[in-house]
Amino acid sequence: MTLVEINFDGIVGPSHNYAGLSLGNLASSKHGGQVSYPRAAALQGLAKMRHNLALGLPQGFFCPLPRPNPALLAALGLADRAPADEAETRLHAAAWSASAMWTANAATVSPAPDTADGRCHLTAANLVTMPHRSQEWVDTVRQLRLAFADAAHFAVHDAVPPCFGDEGAANHMRMAAHHAAPGLEIFVYGRPGGAFPARQHEQASRAVARVHGLAPVRSLFIEQSPAAIAAGAFHNDVVAVANERVLFTHEEAFADPDGAYAAIRAALPEAEIVVVPTSAVSLADAIASYLFNAQLITLPGGEMALVIPLEAWEHSAVRRFLDGMLAANGPIRRVLPVDVRQSMANGGGPACLRLRVVADPATVDPRFLLSEAGADATEAAIAAHWPEQIDPADIGSPALAASVQNARAALLGALNLSQLG
Ligand code: SUG
């Protein structure tokens, strides 16, 4: 068994649009109503995957879910019916959302070295706080059960009960001496009561840890800072990211930062915590630039790199911090900017677009692992079939719905995954 980290990126779906559906996600609210560019969005996402492949990292992907979602429209009594008012318009937009592209919210993953039965456990996230996201998990779990069908190595669980909001890996970090070693799983939850929803409920995190068979010494439950949620950090991965022994975090990410760092160091003595002080990068700048919504990765040579959005690279305060960090020769040795602007405009940076799974690639259904040939086939399907642009006013149009459905079917056919249809 060779356990390595595989990043599974969501291929940006053909209905990618800006409907402004996510309260508390400042980018989504700011860009709501604007014209989106699904083809460019999907090509940007694919270029990010190719970038990681070129670094010598294994790369996986998940396919877009069926949109517009016929099951949701039928359940809402909105099938074959034009929206009659603003509320119905938003419900239609929910059924069209391509939000499953942000696979950091697809599931929480506990790799085999952490669990009681020695299998990798995945629990689909119920995403109940946002109506447009709450429809995802049923189709997500189907895809996870196909990709990780090998029951000797994986256990895929349904979402935890929807009375407790669960946002998956976006509110979960894993630290370990190295990927294949037993890890410390850090669940970050929010408390309700602020201006914006706290999407991750503590009891959802605790349920996932129990279902995965994590020993209490291997799990930590930490409260997210209410100030961070109020400033627009709707997920913890907007203000912190971990990889192996390194935690890269904003000073204001956690409600009790010193308590959090002490608990991490006690559980994992080799932990290195890189704290970005508010004096260097304010919470507002961290959230606007998405510095922390980065992929913190270990390159094949062993050094760590931070894959950040271009927006962070172009931000003067953030750039100053990064230049200083690189010059100081800390644990993060390289910074690699990528262009995912179409996703960023909906609040999804490089880290949102991927789900990390530590596993032996030989145990994963190979159809979900990206090869150069697979990337070429995906690119051809996107170039030929993804709509060039979507004006939110076109959501609901039968012609656009047909083109979105046809685009997804073409991709599934090209990837030999039509059974997901
Ligand atoms: O859930 N945006 C997503 C962004 C998810 C980012 N994921 C992580 N941080 N891991 C969300 O808010 C916007 C959709 C719209 O407004 O149309 C949206 O769903």
Side-chain angles (χ1 to χ4, degrees):
M1 285 284 282
T2 315
L3 297 183
V4 295
E5 179 179 276
I6 313 167
N7 283 276
F8 289 81
D9 281 43
I11 296 174
V12 177
S15 67
H16 161 65
N17 69 84
Y18 299 129
L21 297 176
S22 275
L23 176 67
N25 170 342
L26 304 185
S28 155
S29 302
K30 179 173 164 194
H31 296 97
Q34 294 189 2
V35 170
S36 64
Y37 294 88
R39 194 183 306 158
L43 293 175
Q44 287 170 359
L46 187 63
K48 173 168 98 72
M49 288 193 251
R50 286 193 194 269
H51 181 257
N52 282 353
L53 264 188
L55 292 170
L57 302 168
Q59 180 68 49
F61 61 86
F62 296 129
C63 295
L65 304 184
R67 297 289 179 267
N69 183 353
L72 181 65
L73 289 172
L76 292 169
L78 291 172
D80 304 321
R81 177 192 145 119
D85 57 23
E86 177 56 25
E88 290 189 10
T89 300
R90 287 179 75 78
L91 293 172
H92 265 274
W96 280 65
S97 178
S99 54
M101 70 173 83
W102 299 297
T103 53
N105 303 117
T108 306
V109 183
S110 295
D114 303 354
T115 66
D117 66 4
R119 294 188 297 168
C120 175
H121 286 249
L122 302 97
T123 293
N126 62 33
L127 298 170
V128 286
T129 307
M130 295 289 151
H132 68 288
R133 304 222 58 183
S134 65
Q135 65 185 317
E136 291 173 29
W137 84 264
V138 177
D139 290 310
T140 294
V141 89
R142 272 184 71 207
Q143 192 157 195
L144 294 176
R145 291 209 162 105
L146 202 56
F148 307 109
D150 180 346
H153 297 103
F154 297 100
V156 177
H157 306 278
D158 285 353
V160 300
C163 45
F164 304 121
D166 181 22
E167 299 281 320
N171 278 64
H172 171 261
M173 302 183 288
R174 176 175 190 262
M175 296 183 72
H178 55 90
H179 288 309
L184 172 67
E185 302 206 6
I186 305 168
F187 294 81
V188 185
Y189 60 87
R191 280 194 204 285
F196 294 144
R199 298 198 201 180
Q200 182 72 35
H201 196 292
E202 179 182 356
Q203 293 309 322
S205 297
R206 290 189 183 272
V208 170
R210 283 190 295 268
V211 168
H212 289 191
L214 298 182
V217 293
R218 302 227 161 282
S219 37
L220 212 53
F221 300 89
I222 294 180
E223 187 188 341
Q224 192 181 359
S225 142
I229 298 173
F234 54 96
H235 289 135
N236 173 65
D237 70 3
V238 175
V239 280
V241 59
N243 177 57
E244 297 190 319
R245 67 184 197 289
V246 175
L247 170 64
F248 179 61
T249 179
H250 192 270
E251 181 182 358
E252 294 182 69
F254 308 119
D256 171 15
D258 292 336
Y261 307 154
I264 291 169
R265 289 197 178 101
L268 191 78
E270 53 270 79
E272 278 188 63
I273 304 180
V274 180
V275 180
V276 181
T278 303
S279 57
V281 178
S282 68
L283 205 42
D285 284 349
I287 290 163
S289 68
Y290 260 41
L291 166 63
F292 295 92
N293 199 260
Q295 288 186 253
L296 183 55
I297 49 176
T298 304
L299 298 172
E303 62 181 5
M304 279 197 204
L306 196 63
V307 179
I308 59 166
L310 270 175
E311 285 81 347
W313 193 237
E314 290 166 354
H315 189 289
S316 56
V318 169
R319 181 66 169 272
R320 235 184 341 270
F321 171 81
L322 289 172
D323 288 343
M325 180 184 83
L326 292 173
N329 250 344
I332 302 170
R333 294 298 166 88
R334 291 178 67 185
V335 174
L336 305 170
V338 292
D339 178 0
V340 288
R341 290 191 196 279
Q342 279 290 308
S343 169
M344 283 283 287
N346 248 341
C352 299
L353 285 162
R354 61 91 176 94
L355 182 70
R356 293 185 282 188
V357 179
V358 170
D360 180 345
T363 61
V364 177
D365 186 320
R367 289 175 296 177
F368 292 91
L369 297 176
L370 193 71
S371 60
E372 286 297 343
D376 291 345
T378 302
E379 187 164 336
I382 294 167
H385 299 286
W386 259 233
E388 190 194 343
Q389 62 179 66
I390 295 183
D391 184 321
D394 295 336
I395 290 174
S397 136
L400 185 57
S403 117
V404 162
Q405 287 156 347
N406 176 46
R408 176 171 177 270
L411 175 73
L412 296 182
L415 296 173
N416 192 22
L417 282 166
S418 296
Q419 71 198 99
L420 287 172

